[in-house]
Amino acid sequence: QVQLVESGGGSVQAGGSLRLSCAPSGLPLSYRNMGWFRQAPGKEREIVAAISWSGNSLHHSDSVKGRFTISRDNAKNTVFLQMNSLKLEDTAIYYCAASSRYVANILAGYEYWGQGTQVTVSS
């Protein structure tokens, strides 16, 4: 079965850091392009960052650019989202997703999704 398990979420104070991890399993071999998305209550899901299978193509949304960094360790079969300088508006459920081609910020291009991990930033 296909499974994308997010971990590393929690509660932090503004200005703090968290590192999210995504451990996919059971994916078809071609589904190596990964993305991070987030969704706050009552709002649409939005792109955070994306990375190609090789790691050579990267995308970070304007709202997180310079603060968040997506990366991957293929030896560990894990994708990371390093989140620094966290702001109150970063509070959301963060989702890991996979696609068969690199589609960057196009939400509809991702075929598989995890269940999400909660990130809460307080003052």
Side-chain angles (χ1 to χ4, degrees):
Q1 60 180 4
V2 174
Q3 190 171 22
L4 284 74
V5 180
E6 302 97 336
S7 62
S11 298
V12 297
Q13 290 186 316
S17 298
L18 286 173
R19 189 175 78 158
L20 306 184
S21 298
C22 175
S25 63
L27 287 171
L29 195 61
S30 61
Y31 285 80
R32 294 182 179 273
N33 304 286
M34 307 296 295
W36 283 100
F37 294 79
R38 67 186 182 186
Q39 187 168 24
K43 297 184 178 180
E44 298 293 323
R45 189 170 300 187
E46 64 178 6
I47 184 69
V48 176
I51 187 169
S52 65
W53 71 269
S54 67
N56 291 331
S57 296
L58 300 173
H59 171 82
H60 296 87
S61 68
D62 290 340
S63 62
V64 307
K65 193 173 298 182
R67 300 187 298 119
F68 294 6
T69 303
I70 190 170
S71 63
R72 67 192 305 158
D73 186 340
N74 289 340
K76 297 181 179 179
N77 193 33
T78 305
V79 180
F80 304 98
L81 183 68
Q82 180 65 48
M83 308 164 64
N84 298 326
S85 302
L86 283 160
K87 304 175 180 179
L88 266 61
E89 52 263 43
D90 294 321
T91 296
I93 299 175
Y94 284 71
Y95 298 90
C96 179
S99 63
S100 60
R101 56 184 287 265
Y102 182 68
V103 294
N105 63 326
I106 303 175
L107 188 150
Y110 293 86
E111 295 93 349
Y112 297 99
W113 295 82
Q115 295 301 304
T117 185
Q118 178 71 47
V119 172
T120 302
V121 184
S122 61
S123 61

